[in-house]
Amino acid sequence: MSRDLIFLTGASSDIGMTLIRRLAAAPEPPRILAHCHSSAARIEELRDQLSAGDSLVPLPCDFRSENDVRDLADSIIREFGCPNAVVHLPGLKLVYERFTKFDWGHFETDLAVQLRSAVILLRRFLPAMAKMPSSRVVFLLSSVTRGTPPKFLSMYNIVKFAQLGLMRSLASEYGGTGITVNAVSAGMVDTRFLENVPDLVKEMSAAASPKGRNATPQDVVSAIEFLLSPAAGYIHGIELPVTGGAVY
């Protein structure tokens, strides 16, 4: 995408950092507004490594706070204008527990971080994005929304199904505009996000994949890049599975 303005939430995640590197390496790199929570230093270090200057802007914000998210959306419009692409990645680290240990506080926090933030931000951006000749929204979902969801991930499963409902609703409502709204539904990805998941679970996931391994951030980012590209201009309202063939 040529000198676009891309707003990337959850940018300090392993997938976010990988996406920034890939976008920055493009022949005509976009300007990237990189949301982070408490890891602005990680974004700043990457900016120095890439010699990105003001092409990579860290934007700290606590997505647990509704007011902070509203303020962030307003400040982006005021200082940078409306982005023509939004990639939504944030989420709490995975909690692998039986349903009887459902933690309502953790669930509400993750719902705020992953879903409410997207609603607030996109309500602010989409009216202007709809007037652009071409704009993109990409959600990072999960393969849990395809087929039978896994056991012991009830909090995570519910949040991802809610995000899927939002993605499909927006795709329906904005289908007649220049916006495309899509999602990447990844299988288990080897990142810091899995720090609280037992090693045996990760090993079983890798063994169950036809590819014999879990996904990497590079695998997921390749799919996101495609959905951001002009080549995906007629692709709308889909979940693109990145699962190594484990789920279709």
Side-chain angles (χ1 to χ4, degrees):
M1 301 178 70
S2 59
R3 203 51 184 175
D4 292 324
L5 180 64
I6 296 182
F7 178 44
L8 175 59
T9 65
S12 61
S13 64
D14 292 341
I15 291 173
M17 299 283 277
T18 302
L19 179 57
I20 291 171
R21 289 189 183 94
R22 294 274 282 269
L23 292 172
E28 298 182 36
R31 191 174 196 193
I32 303 168
L33 307 181
H35 156 261
C36 51
H37 176 206
S38 56
S39 303
R42 201 163 187 243
I43 303 294
E44 291 166 357
E45 182 180 353
L46 180 59
R47 180 178 60 191
D48 292 341
Q49 291 174 5
L50 298 173
S51 301
D54 65 358
S55 291
L56 176 57
V57 183
L59 295 176
C61 180
D62 186 350
F63 276 11
R64 295 172 298 182
S65 167
E66 183 175 353
N67 288 335
D68 286 359
V69 179
R70 292 186 191 281
D71 289 345
L72 175 63
D74 289 341
S75 68
I76 288 173
I77 294 292
R78 185 172 59 251
E79 297 177 28
F80 305 99
C82 184
N84 65 317
V86 177
V87 181
H88 193 62
L89 304 175
L92 304 187
K93 290 181 179 178
L94 207 59
V95 175
Y96 193 77
E97 293 280 14
R98 293 180 181 274
F99 178 71
T100 52
K101 295 185 178 181
F102 195 104
D103 182 336
W104 193 260
H106 177 95
F107 170 71
E108 285 192 317
T109 300
D110 207 16
L111 196 66
V113 168
Q114 294 203 48
L115 184 68
R116 187 180 66 191
S117 65
V119 171
I120 293 170
L121 293 165
L122 292 173
R123 282 185 66 189
R124 187 70 173 89
F125 298 147
L126 287 181
M129 293 175 71
K131 297 175 183 177
M132 299 175 182
S134 177
S135 55
R136 303 282 190 264
V137 176
V138 180
F139 290 89
L140 180 61
L141 297 185
S142 167
S143 62
V144 302
T145 62
R146 306 180 69 84
T148 303
K151 297 184 291 185
F152 310 134
L153 291 174
S154 55
M155 291 182 285
Y156 179 76
N157 291 341
I158 294 169
V159 171
K160 286 304 183 185
F161 272 98
Q163 274 194 322
L164 174 60
L166 174 61
M167 185 276 284
R168 287 184 171 165
S169 297
L170 294 177
S172 176
E173 185 164 341
Y174 286 90
T177 73
I179 302 173
T180 62
V181 185
N182 294 294
V184 171
S185 287
M188 190 168 282
V189 187
D190 285 329
T191 66
R192 295 176 300 153
F193 183 69
L194 301 181
E195 284 179 356
N196 299 325
V197 175
D199 288 341
L200 179 60
V201 173
K202 291 181 275 191
E203 292 165 4
M204 290 174 63
S205 172
S209 169
K211 292 293 186 183
R213 63 173 177 86
N214 292 323
T216 66
Q218 289 79 9
D219 295 324
V220 178
V221 163
S222 293
I224 295 173
E225 276 193 299
F226 168 67
L227 292 175
L228 289 174
S229 73
Y234 197 64
I235 295 176
H236 182 61
I238 69 155
E239 291 178 83
L240 179 58
V242 181
T243 64
V247 177
Y248 299 96

